[in-house]
Amino acid sequence: MHHSEIRNSSTVFTTLETGSGEPVLFLHGFPDNHKTFAPMMETIGKKGFQCIAPVMRGYEPSTISHAHKLHVVDLVDDILGWMDDRRWNSVHLVGHNWGSVIAFAAGMYYPNRIKSITSLGVPLLRTYQDSFFWAPQQTIQSWYVVLFQIPFLAELTIRSNGFALVDYLWKDWSPGYSPNQDHLAEIKANFQNPGILSSALAYYRNLNDLFTESGRESILGILDSKITVPTQILYGLNDGCFHKNLFEHLLDEKDFPCGFRKIGFDHAGHFLHWEKREEVTKLILEWLEKNK
């Protein structure tokens, strides 16, 4: 495992990298960092795959962007830029949290460039409006999205009491799991850098942006498109971020015409790649091998 760099035009992104073979991009979410995938990358990298985990846009000082450059379509453009930088014709994508949302969108917009998708802990949001019927409690579980829309107050709340909200979200989203404290300390330290926390929150603040072209394109792409890329979705049955009914009842195989499987894990929550690392790593490897 080593640190490296990957470029999109003039912007340089820090990465973790290991292995050789077909490229696999690991996309992290919030509140997290790219090191969240390191243990599984070590295993997958020994099986004939080049594993790369970039620091997502806005999560390091060199990539802080204006909020209007942090729509889903802009983040998909980063993937294409990284592919051009490394001269990859196609890649596999593994995403968690926001990384899953971005992976889904890449599969929708550029299916000829994406070999496979693995989503960890996130359903396809195309049918999210139906959650009010199947999982009415999801409205309550999504309270943080409302908070994150409020400039200054959200940043102040997250920073208060030594970033206690970061601890709370990990524990609330993965009930019964004791997070790695060194990993959480790195996440909190990064959010202390000027501009990083606001950039990370811009992902949420752009969710309902109808006033910019990239905002409208992001929303319509998620709501109207199918994913014509082999896709697997792995989730925890105790997920406190996305209710299990969103996975059990709202995922339709017709939205994944090129191959689909979903697998739920007992006694696991949103951070299932930490809670069920060996099982999740094995399933990712199976999916990668199947869709070489």
Side-chain angles (χ1 to χ4, degrees):
M1 185 79 66
H2 62 278
H3 293 280
S4 61
E5 293 180 345
I6 197 167
R7 295 177 179 270
N8 177 7
S9 184
S10 60
T11 305
V12 179
F13 298 77
T14 302
T15 75
L16 280 179
E17 187 167 345
T18 189
S20 61
E22 290 194 6
V24 185
L25 285 171
F26 290 77
L27 313 175
H28 72 83
F30 178 94
D32 210 347
N33 64 31
H34 65 314
K35 295 180 182 179
T36 195
F37 300 113
M40 64 172 54
M41 287 170 58
E42 288 278 15
T43 300
I44 295 170
K46 295 174 182 176
K47 301 294 184 178
F49 294 94
Q50 182 182 6
C51 299
I52 306 97
V55 178
M56 299 301 288
R57 179 175 291 274
Y59 279 78
E60 59 184 332
S62 62
T63 66
I64 290 176
S65 303
H66 189 281
H68 290 310
K69 289 294 184 183
L70 287 166
H71 294 93
V72 170
V73 293
D74 301 310
L75 300 164
V76 170
D77 284 344
D78 281 338
I79 293 175
L80 297 182
W82 299 335
M83 293 172 68
D84 291 342
D85 178 54
R86 295 294 185 94
R87 298 181 181 178
W88 296 327
N89 291 322
S90 59
V91 297
H92 301 272
L93 299 178
V94 176
H96 175 253
N97 191 264
W98 267 103
S100 293
V101 177
I102 298 160
F104 286 144
M108 293 172 185
Y109 293 125
Y110 302 100
N112 60 318
R113 305 293 304 275
I114 310 301
K115 282 196 168 184
S116 76
I117 294 172
T118 294
S119 168
L120 304 176
V122 178
L124 183 64
L125 298 180
R126 182 172 185 260
T127 57
Y128 190 76
Q129 63 273 17
D130 295 332
S131 67
F132 297 106
F133 176 78
W134 286 107
Q137 56 272 66
Q138 183 63 43
T139 303
I140 298 173
Q141 288 182 213
S142 298
W143 61 268
Y144 61 92
V145 177
V146 178
L147 170 64
F148 292 169
Q149 305 303 311
I150 309 172
F152 305 112
L153 177 61
E155 283 86 341
L156 179 63
T157 302
I158 294 170
R159 288 194 178 100
S160 65
N161 298 319
F163 290 87
L165 187 58
V166 172
D167 296 295
Y168 176 80
L169 289 176
W170 272 71
K171 292 180 179 179
D172 183 56
W173 291 354
S174 284
Y177 174 65
S178 297
N180 182 293
Q181 292 303 308
D182 290 338
H183 185 65
L184 293 190
E186 286 197 6
I187 295 168
K188 296 173 188 178
N190 188 41
F191 284 157
Q192 291 179 12
N193 291 315
I196 297 292
L197 182 56
S198 294
S199 287
L201 293 176
Y203 286 49
Y204 292 94
R205 291 169 179 168
N206 286 335
L207 270 172
N208 298 309
D209 177 17
L210 294 172
F211 298 100
T212 65
E213 183 177 352
S214 58
R216 291 189 295 272
E217 186 179 352
S218 297
I219 294 168
L220 292 175
I222 290 173
L223 293 178
D224 291 343
S225 299
K226 295 184 178 182
I227 300 183
T228 54
V229 172
T231 301
Q232 74 166 342
I233 298 178
L234 310 179
Y235 59 97
L237 295 174
N238 295 329
D239 195 322
C241 182
F242 287 102
H243 192 273
K244 66 179 181 179
N245 283 359
L246 301 185
F247 302 95
E248 300 288 306
H249 297 292
L250 297 186
L251 292 175
D252 190 338
E253 289 190 15
K254 291 184 292 185
D255 291 329
F256 305 91
C258 292
F260 174 68
R261 76 173 178 182
K262 63 178 181 180
I263 298 174
F265 290 84
D266 286 323
H267 310 298
H270 192 61
F271 296 95
L272 70 160
H273 58 298
W274 285 83
E275 302 166 81
K276 301 288 185 179
R277 180 172 293 152
E278 290 185 6
E279 298 96 318
V280 168
T281 301
K282 180 180 177 182
L283 290 170
I284 293 173
L285 261 173
E286 287 179 5
W287 200 246
L288 294 173
E289 292 287 354
K290 181 179 180 180
N291 294 290
K292 272 188 170 182

